[in-house]
């Protein structure tokens, strides 16, 4: 089944431009150097046999991975009218602070049959429940709270016929989650890929992988390390994301191998589910 992976944001936690910074990338006039906080969107049409016409109509399905502080702006840009599910990689601010902006989309989901499922591991669930207690507490009474349902993240999670496989990763000391769907995988905030996770990535052709900068960082891979992983995984095409202001789009891309590029906000790439 054909699907599209769209980069909602490709910046690091502070975004690019970074506040108060006057470096060449932060002051660049190249639109590719403007990076919102990291998130992706997967869209596909779920085949639906139409009983009246016998034709194969399809329902558009939309899954978002992480809702960062820029989610509202990103959703407007992509003209999102519904979301079928959200997956969370981990509970850092740049990945979760836009959750409340799911509210209008969650009202639509509720009218169509139920709350939007949010798949999150135990640690992420605990943080979301604490920050958004007015949404998740059993005592919550705020009338226009988001209609969301936290679901425990399993090794394999099915959304409307598509499997999302959890890829265990390390972000410094913190265990976090990447996701594989069909021939693609999204792995952000990675500093190490445990050996067992490589087996789950076998056959991945389109890889979206974080690469912060050239200089080492305790919780993020460098571009060089990320390139090495993409070679080992054998991806046909690698798109780097979660990019800091150290990496200018044009200049960095000139020095990358042909099948690896910095992604940019709004980029859509075809994947197969
Ligand atoms: Zn991050
Ligand atoms: Zn993080």
């Amino acid at each position: 089944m054909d699907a599209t992976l769209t980069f909602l944001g490709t910046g690091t936690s502070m975004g690019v431009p970074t506040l108060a910074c006057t470096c060449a990338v932060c002051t660049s006039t190249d639109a590719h150097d403007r990076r919102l906080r990291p998130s992706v969107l997967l869209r596909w049409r779920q085949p639906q046999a139409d009983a009246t016409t016998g034709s194969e109509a399809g329902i558009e399905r939309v899954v978002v991975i992480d809702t960062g502080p820029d989610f509202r702006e990103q959703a407007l840009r992509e003209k999102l009218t519904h979301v079928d599910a959200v997956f969370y990689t981990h509970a850092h601010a740049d990945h979760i602070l836009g959750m409340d902006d799911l509210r209008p989309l969650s009202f639509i989901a509720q009218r169509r049959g139920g709350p939007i499922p949010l798949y999150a591991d135990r640690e992420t669930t605990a943080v979301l429940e604490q920050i958004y207690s007015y949404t998740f507490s059993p005592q919550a009474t705020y009338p226009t709270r988001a209609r969301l349902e936290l679901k425990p993240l399993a090794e394999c999670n099915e959304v409307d016929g598509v499997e999302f496989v959890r890829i265990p990763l390390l972000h410094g000391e913190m265990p976090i989650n990447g996701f594989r769907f069909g021939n693609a995988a999204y792995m952000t905030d990675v500093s190490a890929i445990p050996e067992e996770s490589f087996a789950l990535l076998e056959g991945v052709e389109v890889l979206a992988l974080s690469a912060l900068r050239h200089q080492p960082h305790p919780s993020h891979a460098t571009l060089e390390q990320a390139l090495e992983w993409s070679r080992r995984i054998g991806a046909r095409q690698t798109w780097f994301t979660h990019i800091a202001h150290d990496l200018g789009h044009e200049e960095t891309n000139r020095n990358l191998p042909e099948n690896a590029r910095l992604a940019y906000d709004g980029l859509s790439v075809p994947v197969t589910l």
Side-chain angles (χ1 to χ4, degrees):
M1 190 160 45
D2 292 337
T4 309
L5 181 67
T6 300
F7 290 85
L8 294 180
T10 56
T12 187
S13 55
M14 290 188 272
V16 181
T18 298
L19 291 184
C21 183
T22 55
C23 79
V25 176
C26 286
T27 55
S28 160
T29 52
D30 181 354
H32 297 114
D33 284 324
R34 295 190 77 85
R35 304 172 183 134
L36 297 177
R37 263 59 71 86
S39 170
V40 289
L41 167 74
L42 186 70
R43 259 193 248 245
W44 73 93
R45 292 202 88 84
Q46 185 183 17
Q48 213 77 18
D50 187 326
T52 50
T53 64
S55 69
E56 283 269 308
I59 299 180
E60 186 189 60
R61 297 298 185 191
V62 174
V63 167
V64 172
I65 304 182
D66 289 335
T67 51
D70 300 316
F71 176 71
R72 179 176 171 278
E73 195 176 330
Q74 295 162 333
L76 285 170
R77 189 187 65 211
E78 297 302 324
K79 301 184 169 51
L80 278 195
T81 54
H82 71 282
V83 166
D84 293 289
V86 178
F87 283 85
Y88 284 103
T89 59
H90 65 301
H92 281 163
D94 52 325
H95 299 261
I96 61 167
L97 282 190
M99 192 209 79
D100 209 52
D101 288 328
L102 288 167
R103 281 197 301 151
L105 300 172
S106 80
F107 304 149
I108 293 169
Q110 187 72 38
R111 280 199 297 273
R112 287 183 179 179
I116 301 176
L118 310 184
Y119 293 87
D121 63 23
R122 271 226 309 275
E123 293 70 22
T124 306
T125 297
V127 175
L128 289 175
E129 284 176 337
Q130 189 190 0
I131 296 180
Y132 301 106
S133 61
Y134 60 90
T135 301
F136 296 118
S137 158
Q139 281 84 46
T141 53
Y142 183 58
T144 59
R145 65 189 181 278
R147 274 29 180 195
L148 306 170
E149 184 187 9
L150 283 163
K151 288 189 167 248
L153 182 66
E155 297 312 306
C156 194
N157 310 270
E158 199 233 285
V159 177
D160 299 312
V162 174
E163 283 188 348
F164 290 78
V165 177
R166 181 177 93 92
I167 310 288
L169 302 169
L170 281 174
H171 181 24
E173 306 271 293
M174 185 186 193
I176 62 164
N177 314 292
F179 297 99
R180 179 184 183 161
F181 29 92
N183 73 339
Y186 178 66
M187 307 199 287
T188 187
D189 294 60
V190 196
S191 59
I193 304 178
E195 205 43 45
E196 313 81 74
S197 292
F198 281 100
L200 301 169
L201 295 164
E202 247 171 64
V204 163
E205 295 181 294
V206 181
L207 179 62
L209 180 61
S210 59
L212 191 71
R213 59 189 191 193
H214 296 296
Q215 207 192 339
H217 184 284
S219 347
H220 291 278
T222 60
L223 182 61
E224 290 66 28
Q225 173 69 79
L227 259 176
E228 212 173 293
W229 289 329
S230 91
R231 276 190 214 106
R232 173 161 177 200
I233 292 161
R236 193 164 45 76
Q237 195 181 71
T238 299
W239 297 102
F240 296 114
T241 186
H242 208 294
I243 309 159
H245 61 165
D246 308 58
L247 302 180
H249 186 79
E250 275 306 319
E251 190 200 339
T252 308
N253 275 346
R254 264 201 303 276
N255 297 309
L256 283 172
E258 214 178 314
N259 64 348
R261 285 288 175 272
L262 297 190
Y264 53 88
D265 292 21
L267 169 72
S268 286
V269 297
V271 303
T272 307
L273 299 177

